[in-house]
Amino acid sequence: MKAITTFFAAALLASTSSAALAATPDARIQSLEDQIQSLAKQLQDLKADAAQQQQAVQAQQDALKKSQAEALAQQAEYKKQQMTAAKASISNGRLAVASADGNFTAAVRGLLQVDAGYYMQQGSATSLPAAYGPDLSSGTNLRRVFLGLQGKVFGDWDYYFLYDFGGASVETPGHIMYAYLQYNGLAPWSFRVGAYPAPINIEDSTASADLLFLERNSPSNLQRNIAGSEGRDGLSVLYTGERVYGALSLTGNKIADGAKAYGAMGGTAVPNYDEQTAVSGRLAYLVASTSDDHWIVGVNGLDVLNLPNLVPNGAPSLATVPGGTSKGSYSLADLPEFSVDSNGISLVNTGVLAASHVTSWGLETAGNYENFYGQAGYTGYAIHRSPVAYNVYSAAGTFAAVPVKPSNDSFNGWYVQGSWIVTGENRIYNPATATFTGPKVSKPLSLTDGTWGALEFAARFSDLNLNSHKDDAANVVTGWTGASRTYTYYNAVRGGDQKIVTLAVNWYPNAAVRISADYQYIDVTRLQAPAAVTTAATPSMPAVNGGQKLSTVAMRFQLSL
């Protein structure tokens, strides 16, 4: 503005310099005043124009700021909508939905396993007592019918609800298999609570749909049923590192088992006044990991801190009342790696033992090299016996209640198994559970393309020995008639020694369907439990054979979503 004023002043002086010389003073003054007024008006007009231009620029700036604010608001709203928008997908037949940011997910889970099998027993088996499996029932069974929902909320929280409408031996009404909540916000640490199979061994941690054979091997399955398996109440701390996997769990009873007790395979329905409490742990280390191979080694263990209490107020018990109910009792038993028999007979079974403590431990390893897979493990079990009371006779008609402490029992089992996928796929290592899943089918069945899926051959040998002190002649006299006395043997546990050879073929037409055929040769060596012996001579333990040799053939049709 100062420059404009200077310009007009200079112009005024220039235009008036010549005229001022010729005009009169008054005229010159008047002319200058007119010119000054004209310039003043022009200056005022320029100021007005400049103000209008400034207002227009300000208005444009305000409009631009408003437009930018509206754009940011629209962008924020779009992001908000994207965050809450659900996206549905179907992968290998499994329906899933997820928010755009992945913090909320839900996937439908399902598993159908239809089994059919036949037991081929020798004719001599018909002479065995019912508890030793004289006539195992061939037929069909819906082994597993899982239906559930799995996912996460708010990013760090996992959940899993799964129900089963099938069952081992006999189908059951729907019951809880998985129902847990897990926090993952402190990765690689996570924390899980609810009902689920607490991680105990590698076979236990392998999903049912990924098992190499129709059933888990007996040594591993027996161990998992002591303090784990599906539907077990628990609290676990999990560690999933790059090479180390660890799990430490505190477990209780199985869901709906409040009125059952004593046994890794369940038991007779009796009152249960205090539930079982156990602690279990599994540790695995990934020794080797390349694109072609993975190898893990591990250890595991469990300790049943409190056995189910079967009597009110902790008494009476077998320790004080002959023939009374034991406060704590336990049995170890397992099906012969095949569960079509509708009676659910375990060919090896310790029977019910008065006990105060149960422990188990194991060593295991597994690995794959290209399309070959191998796995092996050894498991030990121990039952610490509690005293048992007998009416012990010292003469005919003379007896007194005497507590007898049976020797503690130890049992063991081991297995080795492997597979070869002839179509070239390999079993996949899963670091989240330190296990191996089924193969990823590279060429699913297609009659048009001439592809047939994946084909796998597998073999296994397992040995479960539930004998302890089986020939121990320690006894007490529990009857006296004339010159004859009745001797009862309290140490011998004749659960049997079960050896099984299994051959299998698994065909995977695609990622969801599997058809399996298994053949088993089962050899059970088992002496029948020693009954009381009445004799006037030196007593000897009965040695009646309760074992048998048999074969099974079976097929499974599986759909896994």
Side-chain angles (χ1 to χ4, degrees):
M1 188 62 66
K2 181 178 180 181
I4 296 174
T5 305
T6 305
F7 170 77
F8 277 100
L12 176 61
L13 291 176
S15 63
T16 58
S17 58
S18 60
L21 295 176
T24 61
D26 292 339
R28 290 197 300 270
I29 293 172
Q30 184 61 46
S31 176
L32 289 172
E33 289 179 353
D34 292 341
Q35 292 179 17
I36 290 172
Q37 290 179 358
S38 176
L39 290 173
K41 185 175 182 306
Q42 292 178 19
L43 182 60
Q44 185 176 1
D45 291 341
L46 287 173
K47 289 181 178 180
D49 290 342
Q52 290 178 357
Q53 290 178 0
Q54 187 175 2
Q55 290 176 357
V57 170
Q58 185 64 43
Q60 290 177 355
Q61 292 177 344
D62 292 343
L64 180 60
K65 290 181 179 180
K66 181 178 180 182
S67 177
Q68 291 176 340
E70 291 176 349
L72 290 174
Q74 291 175 355
Q75 186 178 8
E77 181 63 23
Y78 176 76
K79 288 183 177 179
K80 182 179 179 181
Q81 292 175 356
Q82 286 293 100
M83 289 177 64
T84 57
K87 296 182 179 180
S89 64
I90 297 179
S91 176
N92 296 326
R94 181 184 301 167
L95 176 62
V97 294
S99 61
D101 60 1
N103 285 330
F104 299 85
T105 66
V108 176
R109 298 303 305 267
L111 176 64
L112 172 64
Q113 293 178 339
V114 182
D115 290 357
Y118 182 73
Y119 295 91
M120 295 173 284
Q121 296 178 267
Q122 297 176 340
S124 58
T126 58
S127 62
L128 296 173
Y132 293 79
D135 186 13
L136 303 173
S137 60
S138 305
T140 61
N141 182 39
L142 293 178
R143 177 62 179 92
R144 295 178 177 92
V145 185
F146 290 175
L147 183 62
L149 191 68
Q150 183 178 23
K152 63 181 178 180
V153 294
F154 295 99
D156 293 332
W157 298 87
D158 286 358
Y159 64 87
Y160 196 4
F161 299 99
L162 192 69
Y163 298 83
D164 184 19
F165 299 87
S169 303
V170 179
E171 296 84 355
T172 60
H175 59 281
I176 294 173
M177 301 293 284
Y178 289 75
Y180 70 73
L181 179 66
Q182 178 172 310
Y183 179 68
N184 302 315
L186 297 176
W189 296 93
S190 57
F191 306 87
R192 180 182 299 177
V193 62
Y196 55 92
I200 290 180
N201 55 56
I202 186 171
E203 191 85 335
D204 158 71
S205 300
T206 302
S208 300
D210 295 322
L211 294 175
L212 194 55
F213 302 90
L214 299 191
E215 299 294 339
R216 294 175 171 89
N217 64 79
S218 283
S220 297
N221 198 54
L222 177 61
Q223 186 187 41
R224 82 189 295 258
N225 276 296
I226 294 175
S229 72
E230 291 85 356
R232 177 83 65 178
D233 293 331
L235 171 66
S236 296
V237 179
L238 309 173
Y239 179 85
T240 308
E242 183 177 351
R243 287 189 174 272
V244 176
Y245 172 87
L248 182 64
S249 305
L250 179 67
T251 66
N253 267 24
K254 290 184 180 181
I255 296 294
D257 265 5
K260 292 183 179 180
Y262 60 78
M265 291 297 293
T268 305
V270 295
N272 188 347
Y273 296 98
D274 286 305
E275 293 186 3
Q276 171 179 297
T277 305
V279 61
S280 66
R282 178 184 173 219
L283 181 65
Y285 179 70
L286 184 62
V287 178
S289 178
T290 70
S291 58
D292 293 328
D293 65 87
H294 299 82
W295 176 33
I296 62 172
V297 295
V299 296
N300 58 65
L302 63 87
D303 191 331
V304 182
L305 305 175
N306 297 301
L307 273 66
N309 186 353
L310 310 185
V311 294
N313 303 316
S317 73
L318 288 178
T320 57
V321 179
T325 300
S326 174
K327 177 181 178 180
S329 297
Y330 221 78
S331 68
L332 297 178
D334 193 59
L335 299 175
E337 300 178 355
F338 184 46
S339 62
V340 169
D341 174 41
S342 58
N343 295 313
I345 294 175
S346 299
L347 299 181
V348 285
N349 191 332
T350 63
V352 180
L353 306 174
S356 61
H357 203 60
V358 177
T359 59
S360 178
W361 62 274
L363 302 173
E364 57 188 3
T365 185
N368 68 334
Y369 177 71
E370 295 180 348
N371 54 337
F372 293 92
Y373 175 76
Q375 181 181 323
Y378 178 90
T379 307
Y381 320 86
I383 295 182
H384 300 259
R385 301 294 300 276
S386 59
V388 181
Y390 295 95
N391 285 326
V392 177
Y393 284 75
S394 58
T398 304
F399 63 88
V402 176
V404 176
K405 172 66 167 62
S407 298
N408 294 334
D409 297 313
S410 61
F411 312 96
N412 64 81
W414 65 277
Y415 72 96
V416 59
Q417 62 189 40
S419 75
W420 171 42
I421 304 177
V422 298
T423 48
E425 292 89 345
N426 64 317
R427 287 193 160 254
I428 301 168
Y429 179 66
N430 181 10
T433 55
T435 62
F436 291 82
T437 68
K440 183 178 180 181
V441 181
S442 59
K443 296 180 179 180
L445 173 66
S446 172
L447 299 181
T448 302
D449 298 333
T451 54
W452 299 95
L455 185 65
E456 179 179 42
F457 294 105
R460 176 169 70 195
F461 177 81
S462 70
D463 184 355
L464 178 60
N465 188 344
L466 297 185
N467 291 320
S468 182
H469 310 292
K470 69 182 180 67
D471 296 317
D472 193 324
N475 61 75
V476 290
V477 178
T478 56
W480 199 309
T481 305
S484 298
R485 304 176 188 180
T486 301
Y487 299 87
T488 298
Y489 305 93
Y490 55 84
N491 265 347
V493 177
R494 294 177 167 181
D497 187 356
Q498 173 183 275
K499 297 179 175 68
I500 303 178
V501 175
T502 306
L503 303 176
V505 178
N506 300 317
W507 177 40
Y508 306 85
N510 51 55
V513 177
R514 168 180 168 180
I515 299 175
S516 300
D518 279 22
Y519 167 81
Q520 286 185 339
Y521 176 75
I522 304 170
D523 183 357
V524 178
T525 304
R526 184 180 181 186
L527 297 176
Q528 293 183 21
V533 174
T534 301
T535 178
T538 303
S540 60
M541 290 184 67
V544 182
N545 184 20
Q548 60 174 305
K549 295 177 175 63
L550 68 150
S551 299
T552 70
V553 290
M555 289 195 68
R556 169 172 291 173
F557 301 87
Q558 173 178 294
L559 173 65
S560 176
L561 302 177

